[in-house]
Amino acid sequence: NMRAWYNKGVTLCRSGDIRGAQQAFNTITDEVDKNPAAAPFGTASVLNAIGAFQYVANKDFSEASERFKSSLSLKNDALTPPQRAGILHNIASASFRMGNYGKSERNLN
């Protein structure tokens, strides 16, 4: 169950177990990567949150950017315009932190 793995990851992160949180989140991303078309509704928000975890906790801006992009690419998950804008901002921030200034600017336009 994706929600259970997400809750476990959040709990582990809050208790300081970053490695355990990463393993829980990897369980989710591995399943979504295998078959994105079968991802349940709400997966886009979860992937965005996992991207934020990668960005903040691990400073892994490349992986964060990939999670943000994958959250936008899910066809069966409707995002509101403010959610899409927030995810595009997250991609731009990750791109900026990786030194991809042109890409960062394109995601903000």
Side-chain angles (χ1 to χ4, degrees):
N1 180 319
M2 181 184 66
R3 185 58 66 182
W5 281 109
Y6 176 75
N7 290 339
K8 180 177 182 175
V10 169
T11 300
L12 290 169
C13 182
R14 287 182 181 162
S15 68
D17 185 359
I18 301 301
R19 184 175 299 213
Q22 180 67 54
Q23 290 172 341
F25 294 147
N26 284 347
T27 300
I28 296 169
T29 57
D30 290 347
E31 287 301 312
V32 172
D33 289 346
K34 283 181 196 173
N35 190 2
F41 183 78
T43 301
S45 294
V46 169
L47 292 176
N48 184 51
I50 292 171
F53 167 80
Q54 296 294 352
Y55 186 98
V56 174
N58 289 337
K59 306 286 189 252
D60 187 345
F61 307 117
S62 178
E63 179 65 20
S65 182
E66 288 307 310
R67 290 302 140 210
F68 297 142
K69 290 176 193 172
S70 64
S71 72
L72 287 177
S73 70
L74 295 176
K75 302 289 186 232
N76 63 344
D77 215 342
L79 294 169
T80 65
Q83 286 173 314
R84 288 187 58 78
I87 293 169
L88 289 169
H89 176 268
N90 290 345
I91 294 169
S93 294
S95 297
F96 182 84
R97 295 295 298 260
M98 291 185 294
N100 298 331
Y101 305 116
K103 184 177 180 181
S104 177
E105 186 174 354
R106 283 189 301 277
N107 278 293
L108 291 174
N109 290 330

